[in-house]
Amino acid sequence: MSRRYSKQARNRVRDFVELQITDYHSNRRALADYRAQSIPSAVPKYGGTGGGNGGDSRPTELIGVRMASAQYIEHLTRSVAAVGAVLSRLSPEDRRLVRLRYWRRGYTVERAAQELYLSKSAAYRKLNAITTAVARELGYISF
């Protein structure tokens, strides 16, 4: 593998991880919505036959199988868990940097650094360490 390809691959991983951080809150909501829709209602659904044997005999088990086999839900679950784990280990200043850079519209790294009284290079180093930690948590890098 050439050195150039290796750098391109690293940049793609970084870009993907930054997207996971940016979409963290919407991914959490989507996952919660999907799970809420998948859980059966406590009120029984009776058809025209009065609730005989026309339906599934084990709906909870079927829901579990469907959730476990859905690749998108698996991806959302892994992504939310990885970003959440890294965020929980961050200092309050680093969490604020993530909030300003990824979750507030219009904040560049430079502007977030100014607001936190950091140098631009220190902000980039911190964000690089955070994206690296998320990539490790997701299993995309192993060093």
Side-chain angles (χ1 to χ4, degrees):
M1 174 178 351
S2 73
R3 195 168 187 83
R4 181 173 180 201
Y5 177 79
S6 176
K7 183 172 180 166
Q8 286 176 346
R10 283 194 311 262
N11 289 341
R12 287 183 183 148
V13 168
R14 186 195 66 233
D15 292 345
F16 180 74
V17 169
E18 285 183 339
L19 180 66
Q20 299 309 306
I21 295 170
T22 302
D23 291 344
Y24 174 66
H25 294 295
S26 62
N27 286 348
R28 279 182 53 191
R29 282 191 298 273
L31 190 58
D33 288 347
Y34 185 81
R35 286 184 177 157
Q37 291 171 0
S38 297
I39 295 173
S41 172
V43 178
K45 296 178 185 175
Y46 293 112
T49 61
N53 292 332
D56 297 325
S57 61
R58 297 183 288 186
T60 305
E61 180 181 354
L62 294 174
I63 290 167
V65 169
R66 186 175 59 211
M67 286 181 70
S69 63
Q71 290 180 344
Y72 178 69
I73 299 305
E74 183 180 330
H75 163 72
L76 278 183
T77 304
R78 286 184 57 225
S79 172
V80 167
V83 174
V86 171
L87 288 175
S88 69
R89 294 190 301 254
L90 294 179
S91 69
E93 181 183 65
D94 290 348
R95 266 187 255 133
R96 188 161 181 232
L97 179 62
V98 167
R99 187 178 329 115
L100 291 174
R101 173 61 185 108
Y102 295 116
W103 301 333
R104 298 270 304 262
R105 300 288 181 224
Y107 271 80
T108 62
V109 175
E110 292 83 6
R111 185 170 174 202
Q114 285 176 346
E115 191 153 319
L116 294 172
Y117 303 107
L118 292 172
S119 68
K120 184 171 82 170
S121 60
Y124 274 108
R125 273 194 306 274
K126 285 178 179 272
L127 289 172
N128 187 39
I130 292 165
T131 55
T132 301
V134 172
R136 278 193 193 127
E137 198 75 31
L138 287 168
Y140 295 144
I141 56 175
S142 60
F143 57 90

